[in-house]
Amino acid sequence: EAGVTQFPSHSVIEKGQTVTLRCDPISGHDNLYWYRRVMGKEIKFLLHFVKESKQDESGMPNNRFLAERTGGTYSTLKVQPAELEDSGVYFCASSPGAAYNEQFFGPGTRLTVL
Amino acid sequence: AQKVTQAQTEISVVEKEDVTLDCVYETRDTTYYLFWYKQPPSGELVFLIRRNSFDEQNEISGRYSWNFQKSTSSFNFTITASQVVDSAVYFCARPLRGTASKLTFGTGTRLQVTL
């Protein structure tokens, strides 16, 4: 069974540009999560999808971040325009059920904003 | 906020040594879950264990064991007879209060096992 995949693995962009990160969850997992780890800090929750609906987006830093999950399958996280403080590793995770279940994580996308 | 604290930033041990990674959590809940994840050099977070607050029995899985102490709000992780393949960053986590799935993580402990 394929795990959670994320694309790209690395992205280097200039401040002010737009970047779109993609996550493909494990097939059949209704729950999809985005997390972010800024350098030297802890991993922080960004948002949670149940199928195509946003269940909780309380961790999204600001309106420069837009997440979508088309048809309840893969998800994208767009940052527009990117700022220096957006640099970090963006993790995606999925789980088959929400309540306290193990979340399966992808390898992350390392975003560097110059 | 209910924090998860991993005070050890980095630990280095020689292969075959035992090592314990500390995790202290804050909670006002009577029911909660705790998790440990491993992040090997490949980058993904690998689930190791989930523990329910009702179950205070310590758990052993091969060379891995976990000591859950509600009295001290700690959920420590011990690797017995460490191996080079255990080198990774280890994270302790718990769901944020009032949520079932919004994980909050400690800052991680980097474990380096050398020959």
Side-chain angles (χ1 to χ4, degrees), chain B:
Chain B
Q2 296 191 298
K3 265 183 88 171
V4 175
T5 301
Q6 295 179 258
Q8 304 147 308
T9 307
E10 197 157 339
I11 302 175
S12 288
V13 299
V14 176
E15 205 176 40
K16 297 198 176 102
E17 285 185 359
D18 298 346
V19 59
T20 295
L21 310 182
D22 297 334
C23 173
V24 174
Y25 59 91
E26 297 174 1
T27 187
R28 285 171 288 178
D29 299 322
T30 52
T31 303
Y32 50 91
Y33 282 76
L34 298 163
F35 297 81
W36 275 93
Y37 281 86
K38 172 182 179 179
Q39 186 184 32
S42 50
E44 76 277 16
L45 291 163
V46 177
F47 168 82
L48 295 178
I49 190 172
R50 177 185 62 196
R51 172 47 54 90
N52 182 323
S53 58
F54 284 128
D55 183 1
E56 292 193 64
Q57 263 195 320
N58 291 330
E59 181 141 348
I60 299 174
S61 176
R63 295 183 297 106
Y64 293 173
S65 62
W66 289 268
N67 184 308
F68 178 37
Q69 298 275 348
K70 283 177 82 168
S71 59
T72 56
S73 296
S74 66
F75 186 41
N76 296 338
F77 171 35
T78 297
I79 302 175
T80 303
S82 59
Q83 299 176 1
V84 171
V85 293
D86 296 327
S87 297
V89 182
Y90 291 86
F91 293 94
C92 183
R94 61 156 298 177
L96 284 169
R97 189 178 194 211
T99 77
S101 53
K102 197 160 119 177
L103 294 178
T104 186
F105 287 82
T107 48
T109 297
R110 181 177 296 279
L111 175 65
Q112 186 73 39
V113 183
T114 56
L115 292 171

